[in-house]
Amino acid sequence: MATSSATMRKVSLRNLAAHKVRLALTVLSVVLGTAFVAGSFVFTDTLSHTFHGIFADVAKGVDVQVTGKQTDGSGVPLADIEKIKTIAGVRAVDPQVESQIVLLGSDGKPVQGGGAPSMGQSYSPPGQLIGDPYKFISGTAPSQSGQIALNKGALKLAKLNVGDTTKVLVASAGTVNVTISGVYDTKSDTGGYIGALFARDQALKLFTDGNHVGSVNVAGTGLSQDELKARISQALPDLTVKTGKQVTDETQKDVSTALKFVNYFLLAFGAIALLVGTFIIYNTFSMIVAQRLRELALLRAVGASRKQMSRSVLFEAVVVGLIGSIIGIAAGVGLAYGLRALLNSFNVGLPNGTLQLSPRTVIVAMLVGVIVTVFSAYTPARRAAKIPPIAAMREEFASAGTSLRRRTILGAIFGLIGAAALVGGAVSEAGGGAAGLVGLGALALILGVLLGAPALARPIVAALGAPIGRTFGSVGRLARTNAVRNPRRTAATAFALTLGLMLVTAIAVFGSSAKKSINGLVDNGVTADYILTGPDAIGVPVGAAVKVAKVEGVKRAVALEPVHVKFNGSDQQGTGVDGSLADVLPVAMLSGTQDLTGHNILASKDKADQNGWKVGSTVVVTSPDGKALSTRVAGIYAHNQLLGDWMTSAQLYREVTPANRRYDMVVLIRAQPGTDLSTLRTRLVQATDSSLVVKVQDREQFKGTQASQIDNLLAILYGLLALAIVIAVLGIVNTLALSVVERRREIGMLRAVGMLRPQVRRTIYLESALIAVFGAVVGLALGLTFGALFVRTLRDQGLDQIAIPYGQSLLMLVLSAVVGVLAALWPAARAARTRPLEAIADL
């Protein structure tokens, strides 16, 4: 008698309903993975929608925008503004003057806007402004030098009020005393944005070289944007002219490009979580099929076909995937909200906006959740279809397992291929090719370990369990036996944790190596007693180096400056050096002299070889404003990560860098012999007080600052990987819970012959700890190997030191055992409550 498909679906649904705990744990694995995917899309879609709303009006009312040829050049000459006004079809001209600033709050400290811009710009009155006028909430616009108007968000961040006085720092002009004249509102008024409006005359003095402005907005009359663009381009061929639509489109494209990276970054961690969840779902369905052998055999005996059997299991997977995906989408919205709140609590500077749940997000999350679940259940479904009806009804059939021989051989092949590729990458020249080879080797070795994990489980768990057996006696030996009884299950459960810890460990190796490499660069390369640094946005303000050079006890203060030029047809960045490096940052000269005067340059050996330079070679460089200058190679030095590929004089730096774009990256200070360094530090702090943002650090403090930046990045990565670890822990809970159900009769028998409830619980605890530590040992071994080899491929980028975080690795092993015990609390309690007679009688 054949069984209908409708009947099989009913059986599947009733089976799911009858095992609610098992359903909940399986659904949770899907929920966590899909929540990360949905949350990534919701988060980036929200940012995209908000930013596009902010920048939609970036060129409102602007028909044409005129800028300099190079973005880092001086800009548009003032004389050309007058030419633009005379062009037929031009109705209004609005010069744009702006620059990065630092605003001091009511407490006298710099206002932290997170990652949002902090800009000073010229105020354009309604008669001159192209676009919507500023909406002043309180006070008035700045009408004279010394007055500024702030956006509402900045005023709140700074805890200032209209009429208050404060200070503003401009990198190229120093500190300016200002009074708050008014408060205005803008679409950009969220997320830490600081916009200070200055009177035009003062803005020109502070933010330009006096002869140029950054850009010019133009409104026309009686002409299309393209026609007006053509006329201005013809009149001013040396400038860049774009239509207002082009400016808006390019701005929004840049925003989209930046957000795509964020989206891909988050989705990568979502994929990791889903990959870990795949092992859990596979394990769950494998155990479900094993526990339902008799039920499935009975269905076969009453007429269910093999296809119906496999479809029944896959139908359950579809239901689990749908439920998990729906809940995951809702959880994803919550995750996006929580992520935004978390980032805002750290003052990252993200704009606020309504959370965006697009149809694309719903469809992708649903598809991902269902496909991953069905894919994970496919092998168990095939196994269910192959069940012989009569054989499956026998008790011994359930414990029979298939041979691991083929799988182990295949795993060994992949492992050998991976090992060979890893060795090849390790001995290759540093660079992309070596990194790619290591990446391929890592992938092959992971596949090898995945396939060979069941074979590895027995010896490794047996070795890990030996001390447990000696310590806990029969309970420990039973736990060890249970952990290796089904090596496939143990391997699948542990491998989820293996993946998570592998990534955490690899990242830890990278972070430790980066910190050790930086420490090595500073210890071996920097001989300065103190280092002056500033914020990344503005660096050390111009003039600070001159001030500290005059401080009593200072022998030498050397400023390092960023030089941007073109040669050989491409953009190049070098280092300007204002002073002698002799006793602050020694340079190993290979040929020539260390003469950094006039238009001389020094090149690293790699740079010289790349360009065919020798001592005495002439190199023509082009400034951002298009000015060509001839330079001479005065010397060639051994590669120095701190100084870069080439250096030049402070004179050349000033000649190629517009005055309003100048700043120092760092200032290196050497004390006079016999000077008390703590006293000197006090003097240096006093000398740089007016610069507001300058930090005076010794070498150890400088290394600590760099290390803290690396730690902050690692904390973000660890936080994102935490989800994969959580899923892996839930997998251990799920496996143990199902294992308790599967061994119900066995546990009942043990209870009947005298095993106490605490002993039952202890057995489950130890079994769980063994599985977790097994996964951790394999994960740590892989992570340490991959991390060390990837760092080795980056030795040409300055990561020339490999550091193994032994303490962190040991801590992760201990924590894995603790996590294993915690994961076993509920399954162990459930096992301890087993009634002996009922369990023995249960067929």
Side-chain angles (χ1 to χ4, degrees):
M1 182 177 75
T3 304
S4 68
S5 297
T7 302
M8 293 298 295
R9 284 195 293 271
K10 286 181 182 178
V11 171
S12 297
L13 291 173
R14 286 176 180 174
N15 179 67
L16 289 172
H19 300 88
K20 294 181 179 61
V21 175
R22 185 173 71 195
L23 172 64
L25 289 170
T26 310
V27 164
L28 193 56
S29 297
V30 183
V31 167
L32 291 173
T34 53
F36 213 110
V37 172
S40 299
F41 278 118
V42 170
F43 181 71
T44 52
D45 285 349
T46 300
L47 286 181
S48 178
H49 180 267
T50 307
F51 276 121
H52 284 166
I54 291 172
F55 292 112
D57 297 336
V58 69
K60 187 174 182 179
V62 177
D63 291 314
V64 168
Q65 186 178 85
V66 183
T67 61
K69 280 293 184 185
Q70 301 294 328
T71 56
D72 52 356
S74 298
V76 180
L78 295 178
D80 286 343
I81 297 176
E82 299 305 316
K83 291 182 183 179
I84 295 172
K85 292 179 180 178
T86 64
I87 296 173
V90 171
R91 177 179 61 81
V93 175
D94 184 13
Q96 302 296 296
V97 179
E98 63 180 20
S99 179
Q100 292 270 5
I101 63 167
V102 174
L103 173 69
L104 262 64
S106 60
D107 58 359
K109 296 179 180 179
V111 178
Q112 301 297 326
S118 178
M119 304 298 297
Q121 54 198 40
S122 60
Y123 169 70
S124 297
Q128 186 178 6
L129 178 68
I130 298 175
D132 292 334
Y134 294 101
K135 297 177 183 178
F136 280 88
I137 302 169
S138 176
T140 62
S143 58
Q144 61 186 23
S145 292
Q147 292 184 343
I148 64 169
L150 288 175
N151 60 304
K152 183 175 64 175
L155 196 78
K156 183 178 178 181
L157 280 174
K159 297 180 181 179
L160 294 168
N161 295 299
V162 174
D164 288 349
T165 58
T166 185
K167 294 181 180 180
V168 169
L169 173 67
V170 182
S172 58
T175 306
V176 181
N177 294 316
V178 295
T179 301
I180 312 298
S181 67
V183 186
Y184 69 97
D185 201 2
T186 73
K187 282 189 175 182
S188 308
D189 212 33
T190 56
Y193 169 73
I194 297 173
L197 301 178
F198 289 74
R200 182 170 298 278
D201 288 344
Q202 187 171 27
L204 286 169
K205 180 180 178 181
L206 294 175
F207 306 144
T208 74
D209 61 359
N211 298 309
H212 300 78
V213 295
S215 62
V216 179
N217 290 339
V218 182
T221 179
L223 298 174
S224 69
Q225 290 189 355
D226 289 328
E227 289 172 334
L228 185 59
K229 172 187 173 182
R231 290 190 181 185
I232 296 176
S233 297
Q234 185 177 7
L236 300 169
D238 293 333
L239 299 177
T240 298
V241 184
K242 297 177 181 178
T243 64
K245 185 177 184 305
Q246 282 179 307
V247 173
T248 301
D249 291 346
E250 288 179 7
T251 301
Q252 294 193 341
K253 183 181 178 182
D254 291 342
V255 170
S256 296
T257 301
L259 291 178
K260 274 183 182 177
F261 170 77
V262 175
N263 197 28
Y264 293 151
F265 182 74
L266 292 175
L267 285 176
F269 287 92
I272 292 168
L274 281 170
L275 181 61
V276 172
T278 298
F279 291 100
I280 306 308
I281 298 166
Y282 164 79
N283 219 19
T284 300
F285 276 96
S286 295
M287 294 182 73
I288 289 172
V289 169
Q291 291 173 18
R292 293 171 56 200
L293 282 177
R294 291 188 175 186
E295 172 194 329
L296 297 174
L298 183 60
L299 289 171
R300 286 292 313 279
V302 297
S305 66
R306 288 190 171 185
K307 283 186 177 180
Q308 286 177 319
M309 298 299 297
S310 62
R311 287 173 183 170
S312 172
V313 176
L314 290 177
F315 177 69
E316 290 185 28
V318 170
V319 173
V320 168
L322 285 172
I323 296 172
S325 298
I326 292 169
I327 299 173
I329 291 168
V333 174
L335 186 65
Y337 181 85
L339 180 59
R340 187 175 67 180
L342 178 64
L343 292 174
N344 285 338
S345 70
F346 284 101
N347 200 22
V348 172
L350 296 177
N352 295 318
T354 305
L355 291 176
Q356 301 295 308
L357 180 61
S358 68
R360 184 271 324 266
T361 301
V362 175
I363 292 170
V364 170
M366 293 289 288
L367 286 175
V368 166
V370 172
I371 290 172
V372 166
T373 309
V374 172
F375 173 78
S376 304
Y378 177 72
T379 300
R382 286 188 60 196
R383 193 178 304 142
K386 294 178 180 179
I387 294 172
I390 304 301
M393 292 184 184
R394 297 199 303 267
E395 179 74 21
E396 64 272 16
F397 183 81
S399 61
T402 56
S403 171
L404 297 173
R405 188 167 178 271
R406 261 178 76 185
R407 177 172 173 167
T408 304
I409 291 173
L410 194 59
I413 292 172
F414 273 109
L416 289 172
I417 293 172
L422 289 172
V423 172
V427 299
S428 298
E429 289 272 337
L437 201 55
V438 168
L440 288 173
L443 180 61
L445 190 56
I446 290 170
L447 287 173
V449 171
L450 171 61
L451 293 169
L456 293 172
R458 281 198 177 103
I460 295 178
V461 173
L464 293 172
I468 290 177
R470 288 192 294 269
T471 304
F472 294 94
S474 58
V475 170
R477 290 191 292 273
L478 182 60
R480 182 180 60 185
T481 302
N482 287 340
V484 295
R485 176 187 296 183
N486 190 327
R488 290 177 187 273
R489 183 186 306 163
T490 298
T493 305
F495 197 75
L497 189 60
T498 293
L499 281 178
L501 289 182
M502 176 193 73
L503 292 169
V504 169
T505 307
I507 290 171
V509 172
F510 180 85
S512 298
S513 300
K515 286 187 278 189
K516 185 175 181 180
S517 297
I518 290 173
N519 290 347
L521 283 173
V522 175
D523 290 336
N524 299 324
V526 178
T527 55
D529 295 304
Y530 287 106
I531 304 168
L532 303 190
T533 61
D536 291 338
I538 65 171
V540 179
V542 170
V546 175
K547 289 180 181 178
V548 297
K550 298 176 181 177
V551 170
E552 182 184 353
V554 171
K555 177 183 179 182
R556 182 171 289 113
V558 182
L560 303 185
E561 306 150 330
V563 185
H564 298 274
V565 296
K566 277 189 174 182
F567 55 75
N568 294 339
S570 61
D571 292 327
Q572 305 285 338
Q573 180 171 340
T575 303
V577 180
D578 191 358
S580 171
L581 293 170
D583 47 9
V584 292
L585 205 165
V587 180
M589 297 300 299
L590 302 178
S591 59
T593 64
Q594 197 175 327
D595 178 17
L596 282 176
T597 58
H599 287 184
N600 285 347
I601 66 172
L602 304 181
S604 70
K605 185 178 186 305
D606 293 341
K607 194 69 173 178
D609 292 344
Q610 179 186 340
N611 291 278
W613 296 342
K614 297 180 179 178
V615 174
S617 295
T618 299
V619 180
V620 178
V621 302
T622 305
S623 74
D625 287 327
K627 180 181 178 182
L629 297 168
S630 291
T631 65
R632 173 182 171 274
V633 178
I636 296 173
Y637 59 92
H639 177 71
N640 188 308
Q641 190 71 26
L642 295 172
L643 292 170
D645 289 331
W646 58 278
M647 298 180 285
T648 190
S649 65
Q651 176 185 332
L652 184 63
Y653 165 72
R654 286 189 280 270
E655 287 185 35
V656 300
T657 307
N660 57 308
R661 296 184 181 275
R662 295 173 191 165
Y663 68 91
D664 299 331
M665 295 184 290
V666 295
V667 178
L668 304 174
I669 298 170
R670 183 71 173 184
Q672 292 280 6
T675 301
D676 181 74
L677 293 181
S678 61
T679 302
L680 178 59
R681 178 190 176 85
T682 302
R683 293 171 183 161
L684 292 173
V685 170
Q686 292 171 347
T688 56
D689 264 352
S690 61
S691 296
L692 307 177
V693 293
V694 174
K695 291 182 180 179
V696 180
Q697 298 177 314
D698 59 26
R699 289 193 294 271
E700 292 302 316
Q701 290 170 326
F702 180 75
K703 290 189 294 184
T705 300
Q706 307 309 307
S708 67
Q709 293 176 358
I710 295 171
D711 288 337
N712 290 338
L713 175 61
L714 293 181
I716 294 172
L717 296 177
Y718 290 152
L720 293 171
L721 282 173
L723 185 63
I725 304 295
V726 169
I727 295 175
V729 172
L730 287 172
I732 297 174
V733 175
N734 204 2
T735 300
L736 289 173
L738 292 172
S739 177
V740 167
V741 174
E742 185 179 66
R743 299 184 343 231
R744 178 175 165 80
R745 295 184 69 190
E746 174 192 321
I747 294 170
M749 184 67 73
L750 290 170
R751 291 277 288 116
V753 298
M755 179 174 272
L756 302 175
R757 285 184 176 180
Q759 290 177 311
V760 174
R761 286 196 293 268
R762 197 175 302 129
T763 302
I764 304 296
Y765 295 156
L766 294 173
E767 178 184 350
S768 178
L770 278 173
I771 293 173
V773 172
F774 166 59
V777 167
V778 177
L780 286 171
L782 292 175
L784 292 173
T785 301
F786 299 158
L789 292 177
F790 270 118
V791 169
R792 181 170 171 76
T793 65
L794 298 173
R795 56 191 182 277
D796 62 332
Q797 302 297 316
L799 290 179
D800 55 356
Q801 304 275 348
I802 297 176
I804 304 299
Y806 293 107
Q808 186 173 342
S809 300
L810 182 61
L811 178 63
M812 281 191 277
L813 271 179
V814 174
L815 289 177
S816 297
V818 173
V819 164
V821 173
L822 293 175
L825 290 176
W826 175 63
R830 188 175 181 184
R833 288 196 298 266
T834 302
R835 296 177 184 272
L837 295 180
E838 289 180 8
I840 294 171
D842 192 15
L843 295 176

